[in-house]
Amino acid sequence: LEYSTVLFERATVERWLGHLTVLLEAMVADETCTLAQLPLLTEPEREQLVHGFNATEAAYPGEALIHELFEQQVERTPEALAVQYEGESLTYAQLNAKANQLAHRLRGLKDASGAPLVGPDALVAISVERSLEMVVGLLGILKAGAAYVPVDPEYPADRIAYMLGDSQAKVLLTQRTLQERLQEAARGDDEGSGEILLLDDEATYAGQPQDNIGRQETGQTSRHLAYVIYTSGSTGQPKGVMNEHRGVVNRLVWMQGAYGLGEEDRVLQKTPFSFDVSVWEFFWTLLNGAGLVMAAPQGHRDAQYLVDVIERAGVTVVHFVPSMLQVFLASVQTGQCVSLRQMVCSGEELPLVLQQRCQERLPSVRLDNLYGPTEAAVDVTWWSCDPAQTEGRVPIGRPIANIRMYVLDEQRQPVPLGVAGELYIGGDGVARGYLNREELTAERFVRDPFSEEADARMYRTGDLGRWRPDGAIEYLGRNDFQVKIRGQRIELGEIEARLAELPAVREVVVLAREAARSEPG
Ligand code: AMP
């Protein structure tokens, strides 16, 4: 007994005794109960895990649309810098005017029967390189009442064709240099090609009004789609995740409350727009009067370029997936990047040694670890890294505003504190589902039995985690064959399915093997 009191805290032992009591009572009460069904949690512990750690309710404009909040910001700071790329820039008023012209143009497009091509829940594909036009395009699509589907022009032609076909986007926005390639890809799309508009051609905007379009005209609500982002799919083709304005607005408003961006801030836009991290880079910045600094198209892969652009533009906020943070830190010399104040990591596990290296190299920069899948409006938990932490895992932290996190067993019952289970996400960030994949949607987006709202749903992540006693979550890996390679989400099954199509291949197994991980730097 003396031994155990040294090793375990009193509260832990009491919790275990509580579990034992609950277990024994249940065994006695119902002899037919299977092992898997036997309960462990005491009522107070269950209450804490399900509700206490998830007391995240916070007010936010749940009816608002992303671009409406941008338009309000335009009123406040029309002359402030909104976006810059190399030597070019646009103020808030200029960006708004241009995006409005595009929106009017989009709303004027009709199909053969005269019906508008663009409206609530209609999808508009956009395939452009990082540029001022990229931002005009995204805002223009939202303002026209539609949702955007980012298509990375670097993708192989048949993947682009698949995305255009699957999304059934009737309009594609692109740039002159990419037009030919995309037209070719669009021909591979069985649905037939739709309208193509060039964002770097003045004719696209010519003669269009510059004023905002109200929701009385578009018929939008905050439960309409804002974007559809494709992620890897285990059946061999990517799947489109449908996110609504409400969840994104909640995520953006939470971020402003947590980090307080001001007019003086410069946020680096370097995440490819086909990843949802880019959503906050664009819109958190533009909803709060700060300036967006667009990195060059290939720039996000080049650490030396990133150091240069941060220094040149006085960037204050930047995002990294941990694998790129490692490469970046190796390129930063002491005394460089002094403008930086906030770094955000997400997308894959943040190793403690990397956190330490970051805090050593850039001691005045706050580093946060955020976690979330595309299926839940970008991020759902957050953790401000503690420079004093010297051992253990860097947590992914606590749920953000209006999000509930659950750590559940195979019966979808909460597991005790400290025990590994699958992470489920409930609350306002949960996406509508997968485009054209009803079965998969039903499998991954299930009813949230812990919510009082009858129609509440939760997303089953496939991630493993456990609660710490302080209400933060530790990430413990995956329960399937999804991997991250340099921050890129890949279902190994997608590669297997494509390889299996080759006539010479009978059976195939794809593994992601970790090369001996070198020390950062
Ligand atoms: P994506 O949909 O591309 O954002 O990928 C989501 C997946 O990335 C999650 O389900 C996790 O497996 C992983 N992930 C995201 N953020 C983190 C993090 N901070 N720590 C560990 N894994 C993460």
Side-chain angles (χ1 to χ4, degrees):
L1 189 65
E2 206 181 336
Y3 185 53
S4 64
T5 50
V6 175
L7 272 182
F8 303 111
E9 284 179 15
R10 190 187 177 89
T12 309
V13 176
E14 280 175 358
R15 215 173 44 242
W16 289 345
L17 286 175
H19 294 162
L20 204 56
T21 314
V22 170
L23 187 70
L24 292 173
E25 279 176 359
M27 286 167 81
V28 175
D30 178 4
E31 290 173 15
T32 64
C33 197
T34 64
L35 261 185
Q37 288 168 336
L38 283 172
L40 269 184
L41 291 183
T42 59
E43 211 25 66
E45 188 176 350
R46 190 184 162 87
E47 175 64 26
Q48 182 189 37
L49 296 178
V50 173
H51 300 294
F53 288 164
N54 283 319
T56 58
E57 293 83 40
Y60 73 102
E63 303 296 320
L65 304 168
I66 300 166
H67 53 281
E68 286 175 349
L69 296 174
F70 167 68
E71 286 158 7
Q72 290 166 16
Q73 185 60 43
V74 174
E75 295 285 310
R76 290 193 287 270
T77 55
E79 299 311 322
L81 171 94
V83 52
Q84 71 181 70
Y85 174 64
E86 309 277 283
E88 306 166 69
S89 65
L90 291 173
T91 64
Y92 273 74
Q94 288 168 336
L95 174 60
N96 194 44
K98 195 114 186 153
N100 282 341
Q101 287 184 306
L102 175 63
H104 283 284
R105 176 72 200 273
L106 286 169
R107 289 189 60 76
L109 299 175
K110 305 274 190 309
D111 70 9
S113 68
L117 290 181
V118 169
D121 280 357
L123 303 181
V124 174
I126 171 166
S127 189
V128 289
E129 293 194 313
R130 249 190 317 267
S131 54
L132 298 186
E133 294 95 66
M134 178 184 266
V135 187
V136 171
L138 299 180
L139 275 169
I141 293 170
L142 297 179
K143 282 164 166 279
Y148 71 87
V149 184
V151 177
D152 191 328
E154 283 192 4
Y155 283 159
D158 66 341
R159 195 177 184 93
I160 294 178
Y162 177 81
M163 288 166 70
L164 294 176
D166 185 60
S167 66
Q168 298 188 10
K170 297 282 183 287
V171 187
L172 168 65
L173 305 183
T174 186
Q175 289 160 314
R176 278 200 191 95
T177 47
L178 300 169
Q179 185 181 11
E180 211 170 298
R181 216 179 139 240
L182 286 162
Q183 254 160 350
E184 216 154 282
R187 270 195 285 277
D189 140 25
D190 306 334
E191 300 296 320
S193 44
E195 290 272 350
I196 295 186
L197 292 184
L198 296 177
L199 289 174
D200 51 357
D201 183 352
E202 269 313 308
T204 299
Y205 310 89
Q208 299 295 336
Q210 298 191 346
D211 49 333
N212 295 336
I213 302 170
R215 66 162 80 190
Q216 64 283 2
E217 268 177 76
T218 62
Q220 270 172 304
T221 74
S222 64
R223 301 310 301 269
H224 282 119
L225 298 179
Y227 58 83
V228 171
I229 283 186
Y230 278 80
T231 70
S232 179
S234 56
T235 54
Q237 293 293 3
K239 51 191 191 283
V241 183
M242 301 185 283
N243 278 281
E244 299 171 350
H245 280 263
R246 186 184 71 158
V248 182
V249 166
N250 177 58
R251 167 67 182 68
L252 296 171
V253 170
W254 161 77
M255 195 171 199
Q256 180 59 4
Y259 300 99
L261 206 57
E263 251 182 82
E264 303 307 314
D265 276 301
R266 295 288 174 269
V267 178
L268 187 60
Q269 204 294 296
K270 73 173 183 62
T271 305
F273 72 159
S274 48
F275 292 98
D276 66 354
V277 168
S278 65
V279 171
W280 69 251
E281 290 177 340
F282 290 117
F283 299 112
W284 178 41
T285 308
L286 294 176
L287 265 47
N288 294 291
L292 199 54
V293 177
M294 305 296 284
Q298 300 300 323
H300 58 282
R301 300 198 180 98
D302 179 347
Q304 195 50 55
Y305 168 81
L306 292 175
V307 172
D308 292 346
V309 78
I310 289 169
E311 297 237 291
R312 256 187 290 132
V315 168
T316 58
V317 181
V318 64
H319 172 272
F320 280 103
V321 290
S323 39
M324 191 61 200
L325 176 61
Q326 176 166 332
V327 180
F328 171 75
L329 288 176
S331 296
V332 182
Q333 307 299 319
T334 314
Q336 282 187 318
C337 298
V338 290
S339 57
L340 279 181
R341 70 172 180 88
Q342 177 69 58
M343 255 195 208
V344 180
C345 263
S346 71
E348 56 192 13
E349 202 169 341
L350 174 63
L352 182 61
V353 288
L354 188 55
Q355 169 190 317
Q356 288 166 331
R357 169 58 63 96
C358 185
Q359 284 161 341
E360 229 170 73
R361 272 290 151 90
L362 299 164
S364 59
V365 179
R366 176 174 151 182
L367 174 66
D368 281 36
N369 184 26
L370 270 51
Y371 157 87
T374 309
E375 287 86 343
V378 193
D379 298 298
V380 289
T381 67
W382 69 309
W383 176 257
S384 210
C385 294
D386 173 8
Q389 183 179 351
T390 54
E391 56 183 25
R393 294 169 182 274
V394 182
I396 55 170
R398 302 183 172 82
I400 68 164
N402 303 304
I403 293 290
R404 291 184 299 272
M405 295 297 296
Y406 309 115
V407 184
L408 307 182
D409 65 16
E410 281 169 11
Q411 268 64 44
R412 297 214 183 118
Q413 288 303 313
V415 297
L417 199 88
V419 172
E422 184 170 356
L423 300 181
Y424 283 70
I425 301 165
D428 290 358
V430 179
R432 191 190 287 177
Y434 298 113
L435 185 68
N436 307 326
R437 304 283 182 95
E438 272 160 38
E439 216 171 293
L440 187 61
T441 300
E443 211 177 282
R444 307 302 295 198
F445 295 83
V446 298
R447 207 183 79 74
D448 177 352
F450 310 105
S451 164
E452 275 144 31
E453 292 159 41
D455 59 347
R457 294 174 317 135
M458 56 183 188
Y459 171 67
R460 177 175 189 187
T461 63
D463 288 320
L464 298 170
R466 65 174 173 216
W467 287 110
R468 302 194 331 176
D470 64 355
I473 294 174
E474 280 180 359
Y475 175 81
L476 300 171
R478 297 280 310 170
N479 68 0
D480 61 7
F481 300 103
Q482 179 181 303
V483 297
K484 283 286 178 123
I485 296 179
R486 288 190 285 278
Q488 191 127 346
R489 173 170 158 181
I490 297 170
E491 296 277 359
L492 294 176
E494 176 167 352
I495 304 172
E496 287 169 357
R498 298 308 290 265
L499 287 175
E501 286 168 11
L502 299 171
V505 174
R506 191 152 19 127
E507 281 178 57
V508 53
V509 173
V510 176
L511 297 174
R513 278 185 32 201
E514 206 165 342
R517 190 186 283 231
S518 56
E519 275 294 293

